[in-house]
Amino acid sequence: MSAAVDIAEALARRLSGVLGWRLVANSVYSVDVGMDDNKLCGNYRPPRATGEITGGVFIIWEDGTVSRGRIDSKTLSRLPRDIELWRSLAYRDDDAAQIAGLMPPTQVELFDPRVADIVTGDSGPVFEAVAQIAEAARESGADVIDAGVGCSAVETVIATSSGLWVKYPETNVWCSWGIDKAMSGIRLGRDRETLAALPRAVCATGRLALAAKARARVDARDMRVILTPRVVESFIGHYILHNMAGENVAEGRSRYSPEQFRERARVFRDDVSLIVDTAVPMGPGSYLCTSEGIPSGRAALIEDGHLAAPILNMKYARRCKMAPTPVPAGGMPPGHAGLTLRAESSESWAQLLAGADDAILVDSVLGMHTQDPTTGNFSLAVPDGIVVRAGQFAGAAKVVISGSFLNAMNEVDTRFALSEDDPNPGIELTCHVES
Amino acid sequence: MSLRVSACTEACRAACERARELGVYAVVRLQDKVERAIGVVNGRTDLKSVEEVSGVGVQVFAEGGLVGFASSDTVTPGSLVDLVESAARLARRSGAYGPEPAIGIDRIRPLVAQVEREVAMGMGAIGHAEEEDLVAGICKMTMEIDSRLAVRTFYRIVDEEWRVVRTDGTDVMFSMPRAAVMNMITARSDGHAATVNASLAGEDASIVASPEGRLRLEKRTVKAARTALALLGAPKARAGSYRIVMDYALAKGLAHEAFGHAAESDCMETSILGREGKFRAGERIAAHIVTIVDGPLEGDYAYQPISANGVPRETVEIVKNGILVRALADVFSARQANVPVTGAARAESFRHVPVPRMSNIRITVDDPLPIDLAFEDVAPQDVRDCLARAGLLLERAPVLYLSGYKGGQVNPAKGDFVFNCSAIYELTPTDIRLCQPAIFSGKVLSALGSIIAGIGQPILDAMGTCGKSGQRVPSSGGGNMFLVIDENEEITIGGV
């Protein structure tokens, strides 16, 4: 896997005359196996192997204009034509026109050779993991099972005109499952052990799916709703991530303004914080440094209920006159990408469920992406809201829940509960429920 | 003009030869996409890029129906041979785990064809600098409407080509040109915020560079900006069931999310439109006035003339006069669903395995009520007046007019759908009140069965992106300018 290095070295040589540059090149190989509607592989989910080069380059030309380009496996053969193409696309973006000074990348382990062996050698463990999921789901009473398991091995090169040259390997493992088209789960990691703990997690999903088979009735009213950690992840990704993104803050498309961050405005309850940490050893969202050369690490974005910092790359850090932050990795749920919500008063997930009475447990919603994140309001369909009475599941009802997620983070009666399987908590809050 | 993918003949031939040597059937899918994009945020250029993406996916079918897939962004004879070997190895490895055998690929006829869609204002028609000026102009024009607005304008033009080669001699090439512009408008004031989008899509740069396209986009933008501003102080709609009138973009959402996915042959074993795995053809599912059609339209944003398996894509009457007629089917699941193949397979990229899905879906109603205005010029009072003339306005409760589509989601197995709008207007004989958007949710068949009227002629350019199976492909569609859905207790407006 040296293609990424070859491309990076060739580009670095070709770009030596410009004002500044940075690049990232990833050589990615993966294998995945799936099951749809109880059918392993078949037409629509055949076992799949992929290999390609992905990445990008950012250039500051002599006149201060900038260009962004895409790197792939053809880049090497297209030089110098690609550089001329990128030059033809140059535009002025003074806040973006900067290259980070040389900073040592954080040393964080991201590679398991046993996972790399699965990708480049025997793919059997991936098939076996899908079989394990299916078996655990069937034992839980599942009628219809969907599952997917995949592994990838990546070699990454990050380089800048400041002298940064980082090359490191990483591995990824992802597993997902769905039961009866109603409940689902996900597990992400970087090591072989990610595959080992699947049955227990699948059984937990199976219990919810089993509870949803009996139907219950709920009267329309304001009532307590318990969002599972998986659903909280989607709320964080939609509402909090949007409003904390530096681009949206700087450009007036967030609920919060740069001034509110500078004034450390109080937006959540005093014991609630939002942390980004991209240097967790073997964390699925961890990395050594960002594509801009900013070392990974930990930062408080909301601290004790007060706005501390938006998520800032170098461009929006300059525009907001603040320091850049570690940036959550894209393409995965926020918690796995390093973004976690924490409340000092958190209890255990099992304790919260056991103590719940006259509540709706929500593990899946329809329509999250249709909501306006700037308002904080939500109005979501829940096809299988599980009625909880005296800590026991009492069937499921189709309901619509509505409220304000951001306001709920400021309510004294909102409860947070952590489980050992999920990076973010489950949350109990008051919603309006329509049946 | 020749397509870029025509240059890969030697690599395709090498792949097919290796497949025959290995005793497997192979489908080779080459993708070559050039995409130019411009993003302008609050009047400043934020993105200007050209992406050239090409690669190949190889799906092989081995003895006993074993299937494997491999892809790479390297397209050479050697790399394709490697992919065939890798896919065959995976297919045979799966045999130890009891996989579902693939059926159907050997039942389709070989096809040699080339469909190249030439457009008047393609990527070469105007330069990147001119495009930047046009997009920046749209953004700045929007900002000038009101100082409380933040605006992100994003434009992209795509020249995408595919080539599908099979070991049975099939060799088809086709192009799918498209362009879209979206204005995301956020109004903020006194701690309140609201976002409304205005968009226009088509096959080329005329959406921003022609006077007609520019005028339509400006009118939509002004309407959206004023709605966003008005929403800052708007009350909440009371949750419940109402008679509803929705615009054609929402009608497309209803047809696509609530119905179209359930008509795709790969999900018939769990779909509400299937019974024991077979499509419920011949059953009445809507009033006799309702027809639903999906198929490629020339000039459309989601145009695709040939499927990703190399089968011509048909225009399919899924529902005719309220009766379920045909499903959207590909070669792999048509027989099990008891429906004919319609060439419905689409894939996001060379990395993906195709699945049956929609392109342009439209829901239309016979004998629509007339309205003598262009869609961009229709105000809520025009909708109310039209309903009043037809006797469809209610005395006892408001009719809710849902405006602007903001996405949706469906569970085809359960028949549940949700989608959201940009704004809701409560229409009564004496008043019109703007309310905050709220989700429209319910049961698919209840919604279809409750359609009672249409207003205006069909408009089919509602743009979207379909996300089925984790693959994002362009989609579009529409319906009559407005659809009227009667009150039904299984269809609710959510409330916020």
Side-chain angles (χ1 to χ4, degrees), chain A residues 175-179 183-187 201 205 230 363:
Chain A
C175 315
S176 63
W177 55 90
I179 295 180
M183 306 294 171
S184 59
I186 185 172
R187 179 167 291 274
T205 307
R230 195 171 76 85
D363 186 57

Side-chain angles (χ1 to χ4, degrees), chain A residues 8-18 21 76 79-81 83:
Chain A
E9 287 177 345
L11 274 173
R13 281 194 302 274
R14 296 267 183 181
L15 292 171
S16 58
V18 304
W21 57 266
L76 206 54
L79 293 175
R81 173 258 196 199
I83 292 177

Side-chain angles (χ1 to χ4, degrees), chain B residues 2 41 76 138 185 208 233 255 282 299 323 332 344 358 365 382 389 424 431 455-456 461 468 490:
Chain B
S2 66
V41 179
T76 62
I138 293 162
I185 305 162
V208 292
I323 305 291
F332 297 115
M358 294 157 269
V365 169
D382 299 313
R389 282 195 298 273
I424 295 174
D431 194 19
I455 302 173
D461 69 350
K468 179 182 175 183
E490 288 197 307

Side-chain angles (χ1 to χ4, degrees), chain B residues 414-460:
Chain B
K414 293 175 180 288
D416 298 312
F417 72 85
V418 300
F419 55 91
N420 208 346
C421 54
S422 297
I424 295 174
Y425 297 89
E426 284 184 357
L427 308 180
T428 65
T430 56
D431 194 19
I432 295 175
R433 189 172 78 133
L434 174 67
C435 296
Q436 297 286 342
I439 58 162
F440 171 63
S441 66
K443 289 286 186 187
V444 171
L445 298 183
S446 300
L448 285 181
S450 300
I451 296 171
I452 54 173
I455 302 173
Q457 292 304 307
I459 308 174
L460 308 180

Side-chain angles (χ1 to χ4, degrees), chain A residues 282-425:
Chain A
M282 300 304 272
S286 295
Y287 49 79
L288 272 62
C289 62
T290 68
S291 61
E292 297 182 320
I294 305 297
S296 63
R298 180 185 171 90
L301 304 177
I302 295 174
E303 195 168 21
D304 301 330
H306 296 260
L307 292 173
I311 298 165
L312 292 168
N313 64 13
M314 293 182 67
K315 171 179 173 177
Y316 289 102
R318 177 180 277 181
R319 193 166 289 177
C320 291
K321 299 182 173 61
M322 298 177 190
T325 64
V327 177
M332 61 183 80
H336 295 91
L339 194 66
T340 51
L341 195 62
R342 286 289 176 268
E344 282 172 20
S345 58
S346 288
E347 51 204 296
S348 82
W349 178 242
Q351 187 184 358
L352 179 75
L353 282 185
D357 190 23
D358 191 27
I360 301 284
L361 177 65
V362 175
D363 186 57
S364 160
V365 297
L366 289 179
M368 178 66 82
H369 67 289
T370 73
Q371 306 292 297
D372 183 349
T374 52
T375 64
N377 296 335
F378 62 87
S379 174
L380 297 162
V382 182
D384 294 293
I386 296 173
V387 177
V388 186
R389 294 193 178 113
Q392 300 296 313
F393 296 157
K398 183 188 172 195
V399 296
V400 174
I401 58 171
S402 57
S404 168
F405 183 69
L406 297 179
N407 288 351
M409 296 299 98
N410 203 22
E411 297 291 338
V412 289
D413 66 348
T414 297
R415 296 166 71 188
F416 297 78
L418 285 165
S419 80
E420 59 187 69
D421 291 330
D422 300 287
N424 270 305

